[in-house]
């Protein structure tokens, strides 16, 4: 996929994800992430992405201060920043 | 003491670095590790060759085989862990930053003093070989009288994997005890300023915030008691990918003197592919390439210094009082930011502990 297209997809995905996280409960998000993780792993077999989603689902499962913080950051985050973070999380190391 | 028998309390990401010098020092043995996660503790036993593991630090502290501990816990747990370790008679190396409130630091210092154990607050930059050589040059007068210190920190993306939960408590001011860049990571830079040029007289700072919690970009300025001026620019590159195996940040230090300039870089990351240490004087550049310059080396040497000091029966560098001083430096920065004015270091008081603390 050309880079401009990947960026566009990531920015749209970010807007959707932000709306979703800001408007759904922790438990709902945790459950959805678990399902998403299974699907992503089945389709791609990518452990890096799968582990990143698992970590996120654990955070939402636990809830409390950490998800409050995630929402505070999301309210101020820009799509460009989110794309950079995603690239950082999804890098291979 | 002829042998240090070390217990590691907290086996998370940073332990990968703090452990380095304890593994190969001839007078140190890794006796036990402790982590609230049993899986992680077991993994570290296997990885580091520790003799045993615990999941409760009180139990590790009750172990008579251990005579010193490295505490690598979240900041808000430092006070109870240090007090318990001192009471158990263990010498203590505590991960920076020391505390959130100054009275906590004072209690740690008092606890160690009362128990007759050594307390040091670990900060690795001071042991980064290029910085040590830079200090040696300065002390030898290679650049004449120091005039100013410039520090630049660039924060960006990339670096090694850190658990999401760890990132989250680091960037939450309530859990972290301060801000992520100037307080938490900044401890290294404040420590370097004091190490290179001594005590601070006055501070003026401007902390800006991105994404609600990140104190970036920021600018901190100060004057040392010897008149040298310091400036620290804390930048954030949202799309700046850092090319290194540790954290996504890089530092640049420059000391200007009356007859020369010393530049040191490449500590955490490698944005600048230039020699880690350069001395400019008398119209000549002296670039030092053949020096250990991996960030891990600074942690390694910090651990060796702790062991060597315990074996020699003397207070390691970066004592509890030094740690407390750097926390006052941070408090002056914060006060200056909040009150939008220059703050004298002597204005910063330790204060009393709350009654229920």
């Amino acid at each position: 996929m050309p880079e401009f297209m990947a960026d566009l997809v990531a920015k749209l995905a970010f807007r959707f994800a932000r709306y979703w996280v800001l408007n759904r409960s922790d438990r709902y998000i945790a459950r959805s992430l678990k399902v998403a993780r299974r699907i992503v792993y089945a389709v791609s077999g990518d452990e890096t992405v799968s582990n990143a989603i698992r970590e996120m689902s654990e955070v939402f499962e636990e809830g409390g201060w950490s998800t409050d913080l995630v929402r505070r950051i999301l309210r101020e985050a820009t799509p460009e920043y989110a794309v950079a973070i995603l690239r950082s999380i999804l890098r291979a190391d | 003491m002829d042998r240090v028998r070390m217990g590691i309390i907290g086996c998370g990401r940073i332990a990968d670095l703090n452990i380095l010098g304890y593994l190969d020092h001839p007078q140190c043995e890794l006796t036990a590790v402790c982590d609230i996660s049993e899986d992680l503790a077991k993994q570290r036993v296997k990885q580091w060759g520790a003799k045993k593991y615990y999941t409760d630090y009180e139990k590790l502290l009750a172990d008579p085989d251990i005579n010193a501990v490295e505490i690598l816990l979240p900041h808000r747990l430092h006070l109870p862990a240090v007090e318990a370790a001192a009471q158990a008679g263990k010498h203590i190396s505590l991960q920076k930053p020391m505390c959130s409130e100054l009275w906590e630091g004072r209690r740690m210092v008092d606890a160690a003093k009362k128990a007759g154990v050594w307390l040091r607050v670990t900060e690795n930059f001071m042991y980064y070989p290029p910085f040590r050589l830079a200090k040696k040059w300065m002390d030898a007068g290679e650049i004449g009288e120091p005039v100013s210190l410039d520090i630049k920190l660039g924060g960006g993306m990339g670096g090694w994997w850190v658990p999401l939960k760890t990132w989250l408590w680091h960037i939450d001011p309530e859990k972290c005890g301060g801000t992520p860049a100037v307080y938490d990571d900044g401890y290294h830079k404040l420590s370097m300023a004091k190490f290179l040029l001594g005590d601070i007289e006055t501070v003026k700072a401007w902390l800006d915030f991105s994404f609600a919690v990140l104190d970036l970009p920021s600018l901190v300025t100060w004057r040392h008691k010897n008149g040298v001026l310091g400036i620290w620019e804390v930048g954030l590159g949202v799309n700046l990918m850092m090319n290194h195996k540790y954290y996504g940040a890089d530092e640049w230090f420059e000391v200007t003197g009356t007859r020369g300039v010393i530049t040191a870089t490449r500590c955490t990351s490698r944005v600048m592919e230039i020699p880690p240490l350069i001395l400019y004087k008398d119209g000549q550049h002296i670039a030092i390439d053949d020096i250990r310059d991996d960030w891990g080396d600074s942690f390694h040497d910090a651990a060796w210094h702790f062991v060597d000091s315990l074996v020699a029966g003397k207070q390691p560098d970066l004592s509890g009082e030094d740690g407390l001083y750097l926390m006052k430096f941070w408090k002056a920065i914060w006060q200056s930011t909040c009150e939008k004015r220059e703050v004298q270091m002597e204005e910063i008081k330790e204060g009393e502990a709350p009654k229920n603390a």
Side-chain angles (χ1 to χ4, degrees), chain B residues 11 33 35-47 53-55:
Chain B
C11 294
V33 297
D35 198 278
I36 197 167
S37 158
E38 188 170 4
D39 287 345
L40 182 56
K42 280 182 181 172
Q43 182 197 318
R44 294 307 203 182
V45 163
K46 209 169 151 190
Q47 183 183 353
Y53 75 88
Y54 297 94
T55 55

Side-chain angles (χ1 to χ4, degrees), chain B residues 71-135:
Chain B
I71 298 176
L72 302 170
L73 296 175
H75 312 147
R76 67 198 161 84
L77 300 176
H78 284 185
L79 176 61
V82 167
E83 285 188 326
Q87 230 165 22
K90 316 296 184 193
H91 299 293
I92 303 156
S93 174
L94 172 70
Q95 172 73 350
K96 65 84 203 167
M98 186 183 198
C99 50
S100 306
E101 299 302 329
L102 298 176
W103 60 265
E104 295 176 298
R106 176 55 59 203
R107 265 182 44 179
M108 291 181 211
V109 170
D110 290 346
K113 204 171 170 185
K114 192 174 162 195
V117 297
W118 299 121
L119 166 65
R120 79 99 178 240
V121 183
T122 313
E123 189 287 299
N124 61 297
F125 275 46
M126 209 182 101
Y127 298 93
Y128 181 55
F131 292 158
R132 292 201 82 82
L133 182 53
K135 172 72 170 147

Side-chain angles (χ1 to χ4, degrees), chain B residues 87-308:
Chain B
Q87 230 165 22
K90 316 296 184 193
H91 299 293
I92 303 156
S93 174
L94 172 70
Q95 172 73 350
K96 65 84 203 167
M98 186 183 198
C99 50
S100 306
E101 299 302 329
L102 298 176
W103 60 265
E104 295 176 298
R106 176 55 59 203
R107 265 182 44 179
M108 291 181 211
V109 170
D110 290 346
K113 204 171 170 185
K114 192 174 162 195
V117 297
W118 299 121
L119 166 65
R120 79 99 178 240
V121 183
T122 313
E123 189 287 299
N124 61 297
F125 275 46
M126 209 182 101
Y127 298 93
Y128 181 55
F131 292 158
R132 292 201 82 82
L133 182 53
K135 172 72 170 147
K136 219 168 158 181
W137 281 346
M138 287 168 65
D139 291 346
E142 295 283 2
I143 58 166
E145 287 298 315
V147 176
S148 65
L149 167 65
D150 293 68
I151 304 175
K152 188 167 175 164
L153 165 71
M157 294 294 131
W160 63 1
W161 174 79
V162 175
L164 182 59
K165 281 183 196 164
T166 305
W167 275 128
L168 289 174
W169 78 251
H170 268 279
I171 60 174
D172 182 345
E174 278 179 30
K175 300 281 171 202
C176 178
T179 60
V182 177
Y183 160 80
D184 186 9
D185 183 58
Y187 190 96
H188 296 294
K189 285 74 186 177
L190 307 184
S191 171
M192 282 304 297
K194 186 175 186 298
F195 171 60
L196 293 173
L197 292 154
D199 284 352
I200 313 298
E201 185 180 75
T202 182
V203 176
K204 200 167 185 184
W206 179 17
L207 270 60
D208 210 349
F209 281 82
S210 302
F211 314 111
V213 289
L214 292 179
D215 50 334
L216 300 161
S218 292
L219 193 64
V220 182
T221 60
W222 63 91
R223 189 192 304 116
H224 290 268
K225 280 186 174 167
N226 58 10
V228 175
L229 294 176
I231 181 166
W232 172 29
E233 179 197 335
V234 198
L236 170 67
V238 170
N239 278 303
L240 176 60
M241 191 57 73
M242 297 283 183
N243 178 25
H244 206 264
K245 57 184 177 182
Y246 301 118
Y247 292 96
D250 201 14
E251 300 85 8
W252 173 281
F253 288 75
E254 195 164 272
V255 187
T256 303
T258 49
R259 63 179 281 237
V261 181
I262 294 172
T263 304
T265 184
R266 273 198 193 184
C267 192
T268 313
S269 189
R270 281 167 193 263
V271 171
M272 298 286 180
E273 273 301 339
I274 58 172
L277 188 62
I278 300 168
L279 168 65
Y280 177 80
K281 67 166 190 172
D282 305 332
Q284 302 283 322
H285 283 98
I286 301 167
I288 304 295
D289 258 327
D290 55 343
I291 189 167
R292 293 156 64 232
D293 67 351
D294 189 277
W295 203 43
D297 294 330
S298 59
F299 284 90
H300 174 275
D301 292 2
W304 269 56
H305 172 77
F306 185 61
V307 173
D308 288 340

Side-chain angles (χ1 to χ4, degrees), chain A residues 52 54-59 62 65-67 69-70 72-73 76-78 80-85 87-89 91 93, chain B residues 13 157-165 167-175 209-214 236 238-239 241:
Chain A
R54 178 181 50 74
E55 277 195 77
M56 284 190 262
S57 73
E58 282 171 6
V59 165
E62 212 175 283
W65 67 269
S66 53
T67 52
L69 182 69
V70 168
R72 271 173 68 194
I73 295 169
E76 295 208 14
T78 60
E80 290 75 18
Y81 188 65
V83 171
I85 289 179
R87 278 188 185 152
S88 180
I89 291 173
R91 80 205 176 277
D93 70 339
Chain B
R13 174 84 271 189
M157 294 294 131
W160 63 1
W161 174 79
V162 175
L164 182 59
K165 281 183 196 164
W167 275 128
L168 289 174
W169 78 251
H170 268 279
I171 60 174
D172 182 345
E174 278 179 30
K175 300 281 171 202
F209 281 82
S210 302
F211 314 111
V213 289
L214 292 179
L236 170 67
V238 170
N239 278 303
M241 191 57 73

